[in-house]
Amino acid sequence: MLVYKIFICFLAGMGAGLGTGFAGMSAAAVISPMLTTFLNMDPYLAVGIALASDVLASAVSAYTYGKNKNLDIKNGIVMMCAVLLFTVVGSLVANQVERSTMGNFSVFMTMILGIKFIVKPVMTTKEARGGKSRRRQITESLLCGILIGFICGFVGAGGGMMMLLILTGVLGYELKTAVGTSVFIMAFTAFTGSVSHFIAGGMPDLTILFLCIVFTLLWARLAALWANKASPKTLNRATGIILTVLGAVILAVNYL
């Protein structure tokens, strides 16, 4: 039974770590369905484990991207505050609305975004982003943080994908800086989410928690190191392939 647990946690951590290190994807999108499907874990506790796995993986990835000057901390902090606040607002609104049809939102977004990076790579440069005034950058970060937070709170998932989509498609970040800024924000949001999950639902199986944290951290570190050395075109293709494959696998797991 222990060997089986280790195997499932390894696969879940590998998928989550690669998604985090390459594309700033939330570990919850991979780890949660894996744990609930193959280890029969309570979904609420599975999300808590996924969020806890996200904390160190995202922090180490953010450090790696920051070390390579691919992290926008100033605007990232502004966006993070807005995301945290409006995630709460979105979740409160969601309690009053029927949303049964929105369960696979983040999975479909993962696949669509993956295909998008393959077909139409993000080739924006840092100089293009730097041409905007400081006031405009703060305003854009604040407004996009509000949008991301509300959608994530309302839908209950998709934070990393929403950030990556908006950072590249709306705010004009080049891909490496977008991923670096996304994982920086996710380290804080994941910590807040995991603590609240464990307080409300109790502590999960500590063996599974430890294994998922370690494996996710390992693969996120490796992915972030490779991503920062890759050319923009290669990184776009690699990110697109990983997102598309992960999305397809998660859909398959959900419908087993």
Side-chain angles (χ1 to χ4, degrees), residues 21-107:
F22 272 116
M25 179 180 174
S26 172
V30 180
I31 292 179
S32 298
M34 290 285 288
L35 296 184
T36 54
T37 301
F38 296 109
L39 296 180
N40 296 316
M41 179 170 284
D42 176 84
Y44 192 82
L45 291 179
V47 172
I49 288 177
L51 290 170
S53 302
D54 242 345
V55 178
L56 286 179
S58 294
V60 168
S61 296
Y63 170 78
T64 304
Y65 279 90
K67 191 176 180 180
N68 287 276
K69 299 185 178 1
N70 292 316
L71 170 59
D72 185 359
I73 293 182
K74 290 183 179 179
N75 293 310
I77 290 175
V78 173
M79 186 178 293
M80 178 183 68
C81 293
V83 169
L84 288 171
L85 176 60
F86 277 84
T87 296
V88 177
V89 175
S91 63
L92 292 175
V93 173
N95 286 333
Q96 311 300 319
V97 179
E98 175 60 42
R99 52 185 185 136
S100 58
T101 60
M102 303 179 74
N104 288 315
F105 174 81
S106 63
V107 181

Side-chain angles (χ1 to χ4, degrees), residues 65-196:
Y65 279 90
K67 191 176 180 180
N68 287 276
K69 299 185 178 1
N70 292 316
L71 170 59
D72 185 359
I73 293 182
K74 290 183 179 179
N75 293 310
I77 290 175
V78 173
M79 186 178 293
M80 178 183 68
C81 293
V83 169
L84 288 171
L85 176 60
F86 277 84
T87 296
V88 177
V89 175
S91 63
L92 292 175
V93 173
N95 286 333
Q96 311 300 319
V97 179
E98 175 60 42
R99 52 185 185 136
S100 58
T101 60
M102 303 179 74
N104 288 315
F105 174 81
S106 63
V107 181
F108 285 112
M109 180 185 290
T110 299
M111 291 185 66
I112 292 170
L113 198 55
I115 294 170
K116 185 262 182 190
F117 281 128
I118 295 173
V119 175
K120 189 179 180 182
V122 176
M123 302 302 289
T124 310
T125 61
K126 293 181 181 178
E127 289 72 20
R129 170 71 180 169
K132 296 181 180 180
S133 68
R134 179 64 183 148
R135 176 179 292 183
R136 182 177 174 183
Q137 288 182 23
I138 291 175
T139 302
E140 288 180 344
S141 297
L142 187 61
L143 292 175
C144 288
I146 290 172
L147 176 63
I148 294 168
F150 184 83
I151 291 175
C152 293
F154 187 79
V155 177
M161 291 299 92
M162 280 299 302
M163 275 189 276
L164 188 60
L165 178 63
I166 288 178
L167 287 172
T168 56
V170 178
L171 297 184
Y173 280 77
E174 50 91 29
L175 185 56
K176 290 182 182 179
T177 305
V179 175
T181 305
S182 176
V183 290
F184 169 74
I185 295 171
M186 278 170 49
F188 294 92
T189 57
F191 176 77
T192 304
S194 62
V195 170
S196 63

Side-chain angles (χ1 to χ4, degrees), residues 196-233:
S196 63
H197 266 70
F198 293 150
I199 289 175
M203 288 301 292
D205 184 313
L206 294 181
T207 302
I208 295 176
L209 174 63
F210 174 77
L211 289 171
C212 285
I213 289 175
V214 170
F215 289 136
T216 305
L217 175 61
L218 171 65
W219 285 100
R221 172 65 170 165
L222 293 173
L225 285 171
W226 188 87
N228 278 278
K229 294 178 181 179
S231 67
K233 190 173 183 179

Side-chain angles (χ1 to χ4, degrees), residues 2-25:
L2 178 59
V3 175
Y4 180 69
K5 278 186 180 180
I6 294 174
F7 178 67
I8 295 301
C9 292
F10 175 79
L11 292 179
M14 180 173 66
L18 290 174
T20 299
F22 272 116
M25 179 180 174

